[in-house]
Amino acid sequence: MSIFEYNGSALVAMVGKNCFAIASDRRLGVQLQTVATDFQRVFKIHDRLYIGLSGLATDAQTMYQKLVFRHKLYQLREERDMKPQTFASLVSALLYEKRFGPFFCQPVIAGLGDNDEPFICTMDCLGAKELAKDFVVSGTASESLYGACESMYKPDMEPEELFETISQALLSSVDRDCLSGWGGYVLLVTPTEVQEKILKGRMD
Amino acid sequence: MECVFGLVGKGFAIVAADTSAVNSILVHKSNEDKVMVLDSHKLLGASGEPGDRVQFTEYIQKNVHLYQFRNGIPLTTAATANFTRGELATALRKNPYSVNILLAGYDKGVGPSMYYIDYIATMHKIEKGAFGYGSYFCLSMMDRLYHPDMSIEEAIELIDKCIIEIRTRLVVAPPNFVIKIVDQDGAREYAWRESIKSPDVSMA
């Protein structure tokens, strides 16, 4: 089994009309054994920037701690929050620093930039950025997620419709992957509010 | 063959572990205490490589005591768990420890809590957890019979059922177990469950 499949994960982020949604599954496993069904993979960096980390859970936790540290330092120096594009470059740089002994995690970054323009990107474990205008996926269920998102996605969706779409895409994809699932967690961010929702899915 | 498991009840947390010290086919002793009392209100149940287990848990215990000496107040369970994870994570890519840990503690105001920290430093707060081959039996028993806010009697009954299941179904089942409890009155040994008494060494 690959090191990326040790814990199991599924992450997806989608862009809507002046909003974005980022969703993850909730399973923490150790290969075939499920340890917890309330594991958090999506973390807040600041009010308008979130990062999801799939792959090896220990590296996701370590990466998150390093990123919060770097962002807090940035806030102290610059007296403002980081832009999503800048943050993505920071994550990429941190990952590439470990080029020959990498962190085994694949981040999904989603944020609202200037003029409430939604920004999403993903990268591999070495920091190769992939910017997208519609959706980005990551984790053990990524192949299913690509298919589900490609067929369900429409540009310029309103927040309610975006929430429905991302939820359906996530749940149907993790049902085809034994290492991820056990519920879902969706975060919907608009310029004025943030909604967190737990999805009830197949618990198996 | 090593089993450590535990659960959180109403105002207390229990950690149980087997007590056999084994080297290949030889059982050195059957009364090895693998649940360390970290401080007045914390328990650290550990399983894994024997040398690493003793070394690492003693290191954590001494650092927890040092914090209390320096600062006059004890560390919270969450802080201890994060410290332990940090030490495991730092050592992971240099000189990894092969120790799986269940950390349970009682904090005033927060109540009882338990943290699952595996040998690659994946940390998660849980209500019930188990490590080792015994986990295949214990986790299923606890999934079926555990409910939040169990009383001490109910919890001990569940722990005993888990021990019986391990003894019945695991091929090289450890004969003896130790059960320790932590609640507002502190961390202490609750009981031993022995099916083989260690022979007394009598002087000739």
Side-chain angles (χ1 to χ4, degrees), chain A residues 132-194:
Chain A
K133 292 195 172 60
D134 41 14
F135 58 85
V136 287
V137 303
S138 167
T140 49
S142 59
E143 279 137 0
S144 305
L145 278 165
Y146 273 124
C149 291
E150 196 68 65
S151 50
M152 294 186 201
Y153 180 82
K154 289 192 321 270
D156 288 327
M157 280 187 279
E158 293 296 324
E160 293 78 22
E161 207 193 340
L162 180 66
F163 170 75
E164 264 313 306
T165 309
I166 200 174
S167 306
Q168 293 297 343
L170 180 72
L171 286 177
S172 56
S173 307
V174 302
D175 284 348
R176 280 290 183 181
D177 176 26
C178 55
L179 296 174
S180 55
W182 286 87
Y185 171 83
V186 182
L187 207 93
L188 186 67
V189 180
T190 62
T192 47
E193 59 166 0
V194 172

Side-chain angles (χ1 to χ4, degrees), chain B:
Chain B
M1 270 61 77
E2 290 198 355
C3 317
V4 178
F5 55 101
L7 54 91
V8 174
K10 193 176 174 67
F12 67 92
I14 290 184
V15 178
D18 79 290
T19 60
S20 45
V22 165
N23 189 353
S24 164
I25 58 164
L26 175 71
V27 178
H28 283 300
K29 61 192 291 221
S30 306
N31 56 0
E32 168 83 0
D33 189 352
K34 296 178 191 171
V35 185
M36 176 178 269
V37 173
L38 271 191
D39 72 7
S40 63
H41 286 77
K42 282 182 205 51
L43 288 173
L44 187 75
S47 73
E49 195 79 46
D52 281 347
R53 172 172 55 77
V54 174
Q55 164 71 7
F56 185 72
T57 55
E58 282 186 359
Y59 174 69
I60 298 295
Q61 185 190 52
K62 300 319 165 198
N63 273 282
V64 167
H65 288 172
L66 182 62
Y67 182 93
Q68 176 146 16
F69 291 142
R70 278 189 177 145
N71 299 290
I73 51 163
L75 271 171
T76 61
T77 312
T80 312
N82 275 290
F83 171 69
T84 308
R85 189 208 103 84
E87 291 300 308
L88 282 168
T90 313
L92 179 63
R93 285 175 156 89
K94 296 188 176 112
N95 197 3
Y97 293 107
S98 308
V99 193
N100 295 312
I101 280 165
L102 273 182
L103 173 71
Y106 184 92
D107 304 300
K108 235 164 72 166
V110 174
S113 52
M114 178 175 289
Y115 289 85
Y116 168 106
I117 307 169
D118 85 0
Y119 74 103
I120 48 173
T122 308
M123 185 184 82
H124 193 55
K125 185 161 180 284
I126 48 164
E127 301 282 296
K128 53 191 192 307
F131 281 110
Y133 285 118
S135 67
Y136 293 119
F137 311 107
C138 298
L139 284 175
S140 312
M141 293 294 285
M142 291 196 275
D143 281 342
R144 180 73 183 82
L145 299 170
Y146 175 88
H147 57 86
D149 292 332
M150 290 172 92
S151 69
I152 294 192
E153 293 74 29
E154 285 175 315
I156 293 295
E157 210 185 298
L158 176 52
I159 295 279
D160 280 330
K161 285 188 174 148
C162 291
I163 291 174
I164 289 169
E165 197 64 23
I166 292 171
R167 282 188 181 144
T168 318
R169 294 297 182 183
L170 186 56
V171 62
V172 239
N176 302 339
F177 288 81
V178 65
I179 303 172
K180 295 200 180 175
I181 189 170
V182 59
D183 59 16
Q184 61 176 17
D185 299 324
R188 59 194 180 280
E189 201 176 276
Y190 182 87
W192 283 71
R193 298 284 186 246
E194 289 177 311
S195 63
I196 292 180
K197 284 238 179 317
S198 267
D200 287 326
V201 178
S202 56
M203 305 300 264

